[in-house]
Amino acid sequence: MSTEVVIDAPGEHRLVPHEPRRPAAGEALVRVHASGICGSDREVYQGNRPEGYVRYPLTPGHEWSGTVEAVGAGVPASLVGRKVVGEGFRNCQVCDRCHAGETTLCSAGYEETGFTQPGAMAATLTLPARLLHVLPDDCDLTAAALLEPAACIAAAALKANARPGERVAVVGTGTLGMFAVQFLRAASPGELLVVGTRRDREALSRRYGATDFRTKDEDLPGDVDVVIETAGSADAARISAGLLRRGGRLVLTGIPASGAEGLDPTDLVVRQLEVHTVFGAPPDAWAHTVRVFAAGLLDPLPLVTHELPLAEFPQAIELVGAGDPKVGKVLLRP
């Protein structure tokens, strides 16, 4: 019997029978291969997600991969049988931000798969076909389940605009940090520094292309051209800014806890730092991610440490928040 996870309220979940929803006009029904869990899923389960960014009851799951099983009217039949991933933001397509390609800033309001709309912790997922990105037929769908966080980092890499030969750095060594290393490595940097708190991540960082690895307590340079921050703490943001030369470029992707003290505006102005932020991934970042993945320049599989059935959702949530260095990316399989 097909099942799905439903979070009724913070701390309350059920495993219930799943009935696939037939795709309406413009929609596709996807058979889910795997769904990843990240810190935001833990926030949803614990009730820490900011107001307006979650709607209970909810089937979570915004990181996923699968195969198209059926399409509705107006959708090319050639999609059926194709391996896909999909954008999460359910943008309106008609506001000025959507027309500018900034779909994560849609002025019609926030709607996202797995947070306010049914997600992929189920046997199937039905969603607008326009959100799908088709993958190569021979791709590994387990690896592809990590392309959503990769797309968020692709958005950061595009904003960072690292040029060949520049000195670049990544702060944070989790899943996002390891994707940042891979995207920056593809830009042919002169040096690629990774800064983290865990020395055990050095080997993987170097495997992905880092030329130097240091913990935050070691001597750090102050003349880096580009930094992508992925750790999600105010301390990480300050460390990131401190790495930069005057006129350097910083992209923040982490979301610190509410009330965290931010960067020093005097420092930003005096050193003329260029600061960008990322929340989610717009279509161009998704397209870039799929191209890079198809070209073999992204290697997500080493990041996956656990694959569990949907019935073990609470155990998976605990794994994600346990702080165990042996726990990387956790996937749920229908």
Side-chain angles (χ1 to χ4, degrees):
M1 179 182 67
S2 296
T3 58
E4 67 180 287
V5 174
V6 174
I7 300 176
D8 291 306
E12 300 177 13
H13 85 282
R14 295 174 291 141
L15 194 69
V16 303
H18 173 76
E19 187 68 32
R21 181 172 69 80
R22 291 178 59 85
E27 292 186 325
L29 184 151
V30 176
R31 177 67 55 179
V32 176
H33 174 81
S35 179
I37 296 182
C38 81
S40 56
D41 295 303
R42 186 175 169 85
E43 289 178 353
V44 169
Y45 186 60
Q46 294 182 330
N48 300 325
R49 183 83 171 163
E51 185 177 357
Y53 290 88
V54 64
R55 188 181 303 133
Y56 302 101
L58 172 71
T59 295
H62 61 286
E63 304 178 2
W64 58 270
S65 64
T67 303
V68 177
E69 200 163 84
V71 296
V75 179
S78 58
L79 273 179
V80 175
R82 297 303 305 271
K83 295 177 179 180
V84 294
V85 289
E87 299 176 34
F89 283 78
R90 306 292 186 91
N91 50 292
C92 75
Q93 293 188 285
V94 296
C95 71
D96 61 341
R97 293 300 88 207
C98 284
H99 281 308
E102 297 174 338
T103 54
T104 60
L105 300 177
C106 177
S107 58
Y110 172 77
E111 296 285 346
E112 186 177 3
T113 299
F115 296 107
T116 64
Q117 298 289 330
M121 291 185 193
T124 70
L125 173 64
T126 302
L127 73 167
R130 61 182 172 80
L131 299 178
L132 298 179
H133 290 262
V134 177
L135 302 170
D137 291 334
D138 61 351
C139 82
D140 186 322
L141 279 176
T142 299
L146 277 67
L147 292 188
E148 191 278 340
C152 295
I153 293 301
L158 290 171
K159 288 190 175 184
N161 191 28
R163 303 176 184 93
E166 286 191 314
R167 302 184 67 192
V168 302
V170 173
V171 175
T173 58
T175 298
L176 297 181
M178 294 301 95
F179 277 129
V181 173
Q182 294 179 72
F183 276 110
L184 288 175
R185 180 67 186 88
S188 300
E191 299 177 29
L192 203 174
L193 167 68
V194 174
V195 178
T197 59
R198 295 167 44 186
R199 178 60 68 176
D200 63 296
R201 298 296 271 185
E202 179 175 2
L204 186 58
S205 298
R206 291 187 181 277
R207 171 177 172 177
Y208 281 143
T211 59
D212 191 7
F213 183 98
R214 304 185 195 184
T215 66
K216 66 175 186 176
D217 298 320
E218 296 181 79
D219 288 336
L220 298 175
D223 57 355
V224 174
D225 298 297
V226 174
V227 178
I228 295 180
E229 176 276 325
T230 68
S233 70
D235 187 45
R238 288 189 287 269
I239 290 172
S240 298
L243 292 172
L244 288 165
R245 63 167 173 80
R246 296 189 68 196
R249 307 188 296 284
L250 170 62
V251 185
L252 303 173
T253 71
I255 304 177
S258 178
E261 295 184 5
L263 301 174
D264 180 356
T266 300
D267 178 59
L268 299 182
V269 173
V270 170
R271 293 203 290 137
Q272 298 184 63
L273 298 184
E274 184 179 321
V275 181
H276 297 273
T277 59
V278 167
F279 177 63
D284 63 337
W286 272 97
H288 182 55
T289 300
V290 170
R291 283 194 302 270
V292 173
F293 177 64
L297 298 175
L298 285 183
D299 184 15
L301 275 181
L303 302 174
V304 178
T305 58
H306 295 75
E307 296 183 58
L308 304 174
L310 282 180
E312 296 185 24
F313 169 75
Q315 293 93 322
I317 288 290
E318 287 303 314
L319 278 172
V320 169
D324 186 341
K326 295 181 181 179
V327 177
K329 198 64 184 178
V330 178
L331 300 183
L332 289 178
R333 300 286 294 270

